């Protein structure tokens, strides 16, 4: 699901109820169903927003009804690091992060609170005498210093573009279920904004994983997000190796 432009027909939900693993493929609310909800409840949000919000609201409601303590919500348009399990184990070694309300595993744009992100911002603000040399230096810095780091978790205060890959606790699912119902009554704000808002207001424990181990799988012509070892590429399911991509959309200009 890419809330900025398109909407995916399916979402994969991996839930944990005690020791029993649950896997669900959730069909997205269609435009027709969203329009019907709009008429029935007098929602002021547009049909596209209602479709997105209602799809995720149904996930949260299911978690509450079935006492699911945590779930990983993934768009059907994602690609993952081939060693995803090891990376998550490394990130969750941070004891505080284990008690998350929401955990962002994929992020389209850089987060100012992410370790190392401020260093990249400083590089981008430089005014070197040679633009070509600057771009080379920037690419080398991000690959060797930022992307080669051990995967870690961090308290996320400025998440942006996160609705395609995140984990949510049962407690947070209950809160989001109520919040999304309220948001559909208004004109503004998509799911990405709402998920970012719950992390930014400081009332919830929101964590990110850096570098992101899950990325949107866009058309190669549109570019994409960096993965060190793409699972889809390893299985010959995508044409180009995303290890050549920038890790975030707002870093693409320096990556070219």
């Amino acid at each position: 699901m890419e809330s900025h432009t398109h909407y995916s027909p399916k979402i994969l939900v991996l839930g944990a109820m005690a020791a029993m693993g649950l896997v669900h493929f959730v069909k997205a609310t269609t435009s027709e169903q969203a329009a019907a909800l709009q008429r029935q409840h007098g929602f002021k949000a547009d049909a596209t927003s209602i479709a997105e919000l209602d799809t995720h609201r149904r996930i949260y409601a299911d978690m509450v009804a079935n006492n699911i303590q945590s779930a990983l919500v993934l768009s059907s348009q994602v690609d993952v690091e081939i060693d995803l399990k090891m990376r998550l184990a490394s990130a969750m070694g941070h004891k505080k992060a284990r008690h998350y309300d929401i955990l962002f595993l994929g992020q389209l744009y850089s987060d100012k609170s992410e370790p190392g992100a401020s260093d990249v911002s400083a590089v981008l603000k430089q005014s070197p005498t040679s633009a070509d040399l600057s771009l080379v230096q920037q690419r080398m810095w991000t690959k060797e210093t930022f992307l080669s780091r051990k995967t870690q978790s961090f308290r996320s205060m400025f998440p942006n573009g996160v609705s395609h890959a995140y984990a949510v606790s049962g407690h947070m699912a209950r809160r989001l279920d109520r919040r999304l119902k309220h948001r559909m009554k208004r004109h503004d704000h998509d799911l990405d904004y709402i998920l970012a808002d719950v992390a930014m207001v400081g009332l919830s424990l929101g964590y990110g994983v850096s570098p992101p181990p899950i990325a949107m799988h866009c058309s190669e012509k549109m570019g994409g997000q960096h993965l060190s070892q793409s699972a889809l590429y390893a299985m010959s399911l995508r044409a180009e190796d995303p290890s050549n991509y920038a890790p975030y959309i707002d870093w693409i200009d320096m990556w070219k």
Side-chain angles (χ1 to χ4, degrees), residues 101-135:
D101 288 319
I102 190 164
L103 177 67
F104 304 117
L105 301 174
Q107 195 153 302
L108 296 179
Y109 302 91
S110 60
D111 185 334
K112 290 187 291 184
S113 55
E114 181 177 4
S118 60
D119 297 327
V120 176
S121 298
V123 171
L124 292 174
K125 292 178 182 178
Q126 291 178 355
S127 300
T129 55
S130 171
D132 292 336
L133 181 60
S134 171
L135 291 174

Side-chain angles (χ1 to χ4, degrees), residues 56-245:
H56 286 255
R57 187 204 60 77
R58 287 188 287 112
I59 293 171
Y60 308 144
D62 185 65
M63 289 178 65
V64 173
N66 292 287
N67 194 32
I68 297 175
Q69 298 304 307
S70 62
L72 172 60
V73 183
L74 298 175
S75 160
S76 60
Q77 295 173 306
V78 297
D79 191 0
V80 305
E81 292 283 8
I82 203 166
D83 57 347
L84 176 63
K85 183 177 180 180
M86 293 179 62
R87 288 173 180 265
L88 291 182
S90 176
M92 301 312 288
H94 187 329
K95 292 183 179 180
K96 290 184 178 180
R98 298 176 191 172
H99 303 287
Y100 64 84
D101 288 319
I102 190 164
L103 177 67
F104 304 117
L105 301 174
Q107 195 153 302
L108 296 179
Y109 302 91
S110 60
D111 185 334
K112 290 187 291 184
S113 55
E114 181 177 4
S118 60
D119 297 327
V120 176
S121 298
V123 171
L124 292 174
K125 292 178 182 178
Q126 291 178 355
S127 300
T129 55
S130 171
D132 292 336
L133 181 60
S134 171
L135 291 174
V136 172
Q137 290 175 331
Q138 290 168 9
R139 286 196 296 268
M140 291 298 293
W141 189 92
T142 50
K143 285 187 177 182
E144 294 181 2
T145 307
F146 184 81
L147 294 171
S148 62
R149 295 169 307 134
K150 179 181 178 181
T151 304
Q152 58 187 303
S153 59
F154 65 98
R155 185 68 185 272
S156 179
M157 302 302 294
F158 304 97
N160 191 357
V162 292
S163 61
H164 59 287
Y166 65 97
V168 62
S169 69
H171 170 71
M172 178 57 72
R174 191 179 300 274
R175 289 179 56 192
L176 286 171
D177 181 27
R178 295 193 298 265
R179 179 168 292 203
L180 265 59
K181 290 177 183 176
H182 177 70
R183 288 290 185 173
M184 284 187 278
K185 297 177 182 179
R186 300 167 55 176
H187 290 290
D188 55 352
H189 304 154
D190 59 9
L191 181 64
D192 273 320
Y193 180 95
I194 295 169
L195 294 181
D197 185 53
V198 299
M200 293 173 67
V201 294
L203 300 176
S204 306
L205 294 176
Y207 287 88
V209 176
S210 176
I214 302 178
M216 289 292 293
H217 175 26
C218 306
S219 165
E220 276 74 16
K221 293 181 180 179
M222 296 172 59
Q225 284 187 272
H226 179 279
L227 289 173
S228 296
Q229 292 181 294
S230 157
L232 293 182
Y233 183 72
M235 295 185 289
S236 301
L237 295 177
R238 61 184 304 177
E240 294 187 22
D241 184 354
S243 65
N244 296 318
Y245 293 157

